[in-house]
């Protein structure tokens, strides 16, 4: 979730492994996602392209940890197509399922292609207190927030 209320764009999230798949996963809203990186620099700076169904976007992220700066703009399909070749060799694909969990939405990402078999759950929060206080359902396991192995940018580069 991006918070523009104080002139900043802050994404606060946690990432988890699953102990098992949620029941009836395919019954939840889902979409295929193609993601590629135009630029990756030290300090957690990245410029990402994403196509999720018909929705295309360019996202700038900076920082590391559970809370970091994020700014996203919508792109037309033509703009996306013009930029996509610049992500060659830095891409990943996944299917994202949106699973309600109390007042939160759990995004279950099932990776395809060379990352087949990797499944993670991400949960976004409006503030750091709710991030800390989140109690995951029993099908969510280890918190891997900040673990490089499960970072989308690291996976796209490997």
């Amino acid at each position: 979730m991006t918070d523009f209320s104080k002139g900043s764009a802050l994404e606060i999230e946690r990432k988890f492994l699953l102990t098992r798949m949620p029941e009836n996963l395919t019954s939840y809203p889902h979409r295929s996602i193609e993601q590629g990186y135009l630029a990756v620099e030290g300090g957690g700076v990245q410029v990402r392209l994403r196509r999720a169904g018909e929705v295309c976007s360019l996202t700038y992220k900076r920082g590391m940890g559970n809370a970091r700066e994020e700014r996203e703009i919508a792109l037309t399909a033509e703009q996306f197509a013009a930029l996509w070749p610049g992500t060659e060799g830095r891409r990943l694909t996944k299917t994202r399922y949106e699973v309600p969990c109390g007042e939160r939405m759990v995004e279950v990402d099932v990776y395809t292609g060379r990352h087949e078999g990797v499944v993670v759950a991400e949960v976004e929060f409006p503030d750091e207190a709710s991030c800390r206080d989140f109690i995951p359902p029993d099908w969510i396991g280890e918190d891997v927030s900040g673990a490089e192995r499960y970072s989308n940018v690291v996976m796209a580069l490997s």
Side-chain angles (χ1 to χ4, degrees):
M1 174 178 274
T2 304
D3 175 11
F4 294 102
S5 63
K6 297 180 181 155
S8 67
L10 191 61
E11 174 191 58
I12 303 169
E13 71 178 5
R14 289 172 64 189
K15 187 178 286 193
F16 302 90
L17 297 179
L18 277 62
T19 57
R20 68 178 188 281
M21 294 298 245
E23 288 189 31
N24 304 312
L25 181 64
T26 58
S27 69
Y28 293 105
H30 57 281
R31 63 193 177 283
S32 295
I33 295 176
E34 293 175 277
Q35 194 164 295
Y37 292 84
L38 290 169
V40 178
E41 296 180 15
V45 175
Q46 48 190 264
V47 179
R48 176 191 77 200
L49 285 177
R50 177 184 278 172
R51 179 173 32 214
E54 300 298 314
V55 178
C56 300
S57 62
L58 182 142
T59 304
Y60 165 82
K61 292 188 177 197
R62 181 175 64 172
M64 302 172 76
N66 290 351
R68 57 192 179 155
E69 180 181 1
E70 179 182 88
R71 299 179 185 277
E72 185 170 281
I73 60 172
L75 297 176
T76 66
E78 293 78 17
Q79 291 168 322
F80 180 89
L83 293 168
W84 187 245
T87 67
E88 184 70 39
R90 297 182 304 272
R91 298 177 182 165
L92 57 84
T93 57
K94 58 189 175 183
T95 300
R96 172 165 287 170
Y97 297 85
E98 296 177 351
V99 182
C101 178
E103 60 186 49
R104 302 277 168 248
M105 183 64 68
V106 178
E107 297 173 334
V108 176
D109 288 342
V110 179
Y111 290 83
T112 55
R114 68 184 184 276
H115 300 295
E116 186 88 31
V118 176
V119 179
V120 299
E122 292 184 358
V123 184
E124 293 189 3
F125 302 92
D127 53 58
E128 294 190 51
S130 60
C131 179
R132 272 190 315 274
D133 296 342
F134 177 69
I135 299 172
D138 65 354
W139 51 269
I140 290 182
E142 180 184 356
D143 187 330
V144 293
S145 304
E148 281 194 20
R149 179 171 191 260
Y150 299 103
S151 159
N152 281 312
V153 69
V154 169
M155 290 172 62
L157 294 172
S158 64

